[in-house]
Amino acid sequence: MGACSSATNLTDVPAMPAADAEKIHPQIFAIMRNGHEVLRGTLVDASASLQRPDADAEVLKAFAKDWDAFVHWSFLHQRMEDGVPGEASGLFALLDEVAGGIATSSKLPDEHLKIITLEHAITQALTKRDLPALRSAFATFMPENDQHYKMEEDVMMPQIMKLAKDGHPVRKTMIERILPAVPASELYFFISHAMRTLEQHSGGQPRARAFAHALQAAASSEKQWLAWRVLIQRSLPPEEYAKIAKEIDLTIWGQACYA
């Protein structure tokens, strides 16, 4: 997968090597696990927009911006899970292979169809500018969607931890089987929205750093990492980027992150 074309013309700002810090190893599947936190954070913003004490038109406008971002990022995330024929086999296929069909038997692909139906009801109400119907559809969607994420995490995380413990080539798997599901033309949005949202909705955890570190490990060339690093930097407040740069060495990429 090539570097994000939207970023290659940006002027990169050097990152200083991390100093005097305990070595932090990347968790490359944070791209998937913290992807749920990207989506949860975006929904927190959407929920806040629906509760604004403004005129209906302003509420709808604010919600539409958040909802569009959610649907867009969720679509990319689901591609990484479901796979894209000829491009990426996806996370669910990997889980089925290593754990006796666990994704299929847990009905994870079917869950996506249910969630998409609930999303469609929200989008329809938004298109009709029907605020009461929108609020009703959103209230129905939220608990179902959160349960969906928890179900996926309960299936995914034990298997991912086992793969890492057993010496499975997790970096190679991410590069070859999962990340290619995100088209090169979508990487600007994929990375920028993730970093902004994880920084704003950290939950007291280093979510933004973990996502950035996973991307760093997943980079397959220096050119690609430099492009991604620029996106990461420009998506974060300067003090947050400086903190991450102090904790992990942002001058390296790929397999070197595991040294």
Side-chain angles (χ1 to χ4, degrees):
M1 182 172 54
C4 176
S5 59
S6 299
T8 52
N9 293 325
L10 298 179
T11 301
D12 185 48
V13 179
M16 298 301 294
D20 301 325
E22 182 180 350
K23 179 69 174 180
I24 301 172
H25 292 285
Q27 303 295 324
I28 203 163
F29 272 86
I31 294 172
M32 300 305 296
R33 175 58 184 85
N34 280 11
H36 282 182
E37 303 309 329
V38 174
L39 295 168
R40 285 182 172 115
T42 308
L43 288 173
V44 169
D45 294 339
S47 181
S49 292
L50 272 186
Q51 297 171 29
R52 289 172 53 150
D54 298 323
D56 287 3
E58 292 302 313
V59 172
L60 289 166
K61 180 180 179 181
F63 179 84
K65 181 180 178 181
D66 297 327
W67 184 247
D68 286 349
F70 170 79
V71 171
H72 189 174
W73 214 92
S74 183
F75 170 73
L76 297 174
H77 181 75
Q78 287 180 10
R79 281 171 60 98
M80 298 170 77
E81 292 178 333
D82 291 332
V84 181
E87 298 179 28
S89 56
L91 176 63
F92 291 167
L94 170 67
L95 294 176
D96 275 349
E97 288 175 19
V98 301
I102 192 171
T104 299
S105 63
S106 299
K107 301 186 184 303
L108 296 188
D110 296 337
E111 277 287 306
H112 281 176
L113 297 176
K114 180 180 74 173
I115 294 302
I116 289 169
T117 299
L118 294 171
E119 288 177 357
H120 184 62
I122 295 171
T123 300
Q124 279 192 316
L126 183 59
T127 300
K128 294 177 181 178
R129 303 184 65 79
D130 185 339
L131 189 53
L134 175 60
R135 285 178 167 141
S136 176
F138 190 74
T140 299
F141 167 79
M142 286 293 281
E144 293 285 344
N145 188 62
D146 193 52
Q147 181 59 38
H148 163 68
Y149 293 155
K150 290 176 180 176
M151 179 186 298
E152 288 186 341
E153 290 157 9
D154 287 346
V155 173
M156 175 180 73
M157 292 312 299
Q159 300 305 323
I160 295 305
M161 289 188 286
K162 184 175 186 301
L163 287 177
K165 182 179 179 182
D166 292 347
H168 181 88
V170 290
R171 177 175 179 265
K172 183 173 186 289
T173 295
M174 179 62 67
I175 291 172
E176 296 181 357
R177 302 188 58 174
I178 298 175
L179 262 181
V182 182
S185 61
E186 295 280 15
L187 281 167
Y188 182 95
F189 170 74
F190 180 77
I191 294 173
S192 298
H193 182 70
M195 295 307 302
R196 283 194 300 268
T197 306
L198 292 172
E199 188 275 327
Q200 292 167 6
H201 300 280
S202 69
Q205 301 296 322
R207 291 172 178 167
R209 185 198 73 198
F211 196 89
H213 206 187
L215 288 172
Q216 181 184 19
S220 55
S221 71
E222 183 178 23
K223 180 181 178 181
Q224 185 179 64
W225 170 236
L226 289 177
W228 290 0
R229 197 176 82 189
V230 170
L231 287 181
I232 290 167
Q233 181 176 25
R234 294 193 174 186
S235 301
L236 295 173
E239 64 274 12
E240 179 63 20
Y241 181 79
K243 180 181 177 182
I244 291 174
K246 186 176 180 180
E247 293 173 341
I248 58 177
D249 183 355
L250 296 177
T251 66
I252 58 176
W253 58 272
Q255 190 62 44
C257 299
Y258 294 92

